[in-house]
Amino acid sequence: MSELIEGYLGKSIDGKKSKMPARLDFIQSASGLFLGLFMWLHMLFVSTILVSEDFFNSVVHFLELKFVYDNPIMSYITSFLAACVLIIFIVHAALAMRKFPINFRQYQLLRTHSKKMKHEDTTLWWVQAFTGFVMFFLGSAHLIFIITNADKISADMSGERVVNHFMWLFYIVLLICVELHGSIGLYRLCVKWGWFEGKNARESRKKLKRAKWAISAFFLALGVLSLAAFAKIGFENYQIQANAMIKNYNGANHEYTI
């Protein structure tokens, strides 16, 4: 047990510096990079609803390989992929929690340090930490729902969930947290590992920050438009069902009157 604690703190039992913290940092960065890129691909996939309902459904069928074998059992491919993402998501969250303040005193010190420095990147870290905390619950719930309901992914069913089950609020909060957390995380990865640094590191960081805000704005707008499209589908289907019920009710009353 003592070896594990010493390794976690950065020293091995023989007094040498442990490589474990560096390895954990690498795993955290790699998992964060995967999740950030996956987030972008997922948003592009969801945004196909802006083209048409049929196009969205055809993309779902394509990703489930139903063009090879058209059977509902192929939906389990989505369940498997969502389960893999959930595992990576939990691993990333667990590693990220190593850097959170573990008590109120540490929180006060960090907050004081942040206020004195007034450093924009430190503020971004706070935003990333807060959105990550919210995402741990909402993101996990979303992935678990996908795992257990992979056969219910379609334009109509998604629209129904957004409107009839009042999931629009859930998705709005998740969308904001995901886009902010992911874009900040990818920006911090570029800074941490020196990607796209160039000859002038300060100027490169400014360009990366501008790109980060542009990407955040783009994907937030894309997400809101996609959510609005699902809400429109759900509302239209609700109206059709309500009109059909009213028609059936009036027809039954007319027959009863006669």
Side-chain angles (χ1 to χ4, degrees):
M1 184 66 181
S2 61
E3 293 180 12
L4 291 174
I5 294 175
E6 287 175 336
Y8 183 81
L9 295 176
K11 291 184 179 181
S12 62
I13 195 168
D14 57 2
K16 296 180 180 179
K17 288 187 176 180
S18 173
K19 295 181 179 180
M20 184 57 68
R23 290 170 180 166
L24 294 178
D25 262 359
F26 177 79
I27 296 173
Q28 180 185 345
S29 296
S31 59
L33 177 62
F34 169 82
L35 292 171
L37 296 177
F38 172 80
M39 171 199 72
W40 287 353
L41 290 175
H42 176 69
M43 185 53 63
L44 291 175
F45 154 67
V46 172
S47 66
T48 58
I49 192 63
L50 297 174
V51 179
S52 69
E53 296 179 45
D54 290 338
F55 186 64
F56 175 83
N57 292 332
S58 65
V59 172
V60 173
H61 291 166
F62 177 80
L63 295 176
E64 293 176 345
L65 303 180
K66 287 185 178 178
F67 61 92
V68 177
Y69 181 55
D70 191 3
N71 189 286
I73 198 172
M74 298 300 284
S75 299
Y76 286 109
I77 292 177
T78 301
S79 296
F80 173 75
L81 293 176
C84 292
V85 173
L86 179 61
I87 292 171
I88 297 172
F89 179 77
I90 292 174
V91 170
H92 179 74
L95 293 176
M97 286 178 65
R98 296 176 304 135
K99 300 178 181 180
F100 281 23
I102 60 174
N103 54 48
F104 185 70
R105 178 171 175 76
Q106 287 188 1
Y107 168 79
Q108 282 184 314
L109 290 172
L110 183 60
R111 193 65 180 169
T112 302
H113 179 71
S114 175
K115 286 182 177 180
K116 285 184 177 179
M117 287 188 65
K118 296 181 180 179
H119 191 246
E120 187 177 352
D121 280 18
T122 305
T123 303
L124 290 178
W125 183 89
W126 278 107
V127 174
Q128 189 182 21
F130 175 76
T131 53
F133 178 78
V134 176
M135 278 175 56
F136 180 77
F137 300 99
L138 299 188
S140 298
H142 177 63
L143 287 169
I144 291 171
F145 177 84
I146 296 299
I147 293 170
T148 56
N149 295 274
D151 58 330
K152 297 178 181 177
I153 300 176
S154 70
D156 285 337
M157 291 182 180
S158 297
E160 180 185 0
R161 283 193 294 274
V162 169
V163 175
N164 294 353
H165 299 172
F166 298 98
M167 292 294 289
W168 59 270
L169 180 59
F170 174 92
Y171 287 125
I172 279 288
V173 176
L174 180 60
L175 170 66
I176 294 172
C177 290
V178 166
E179 299 307 331
L180 289 178
H181 185 90
S183 61
I184 293 172
L186 291 173
Y187 160 76
R188 288 171 59 82
L189 277 180
C190 291
V191 172
K192 180 175 182 177
W193 298 101
W195 300 338
F196 313 108
E197 187 171 282
K199 295 180 180 179
N200 189 330
R202 180 173 294 180
E203 188 62 28
S204 298
R205 182 175 293 197
K206 290 180 180 178
K207 291 180 179 178
L208 283 172
K209 197 168 292 184
R210 287 196 295 267
K212 181 202 75 64
W213 286 118
I215 291 171
S216 294
F218 171 76
F219 279 104
L220 279 171
L222 193 64
V224 170
L225 290 174
S226 300
L227 185 59
F230 282 114
K232 180 176 179 290
I233 293 170
F235 182 75
E236 288 176 349
N237 290 341
Y238 174 79
Q239 288 291 98
I240 292 172
Q241 293 172 4
N243 291 336
M245 289 178 63
I246 292 172
K247 185 178 180 179
N248 291 335
Y249 177 78
N250 290 338
N253 283 346
H254 179 69
E255 290 177 3
Y256 177 78
T257 301
I258 292 174

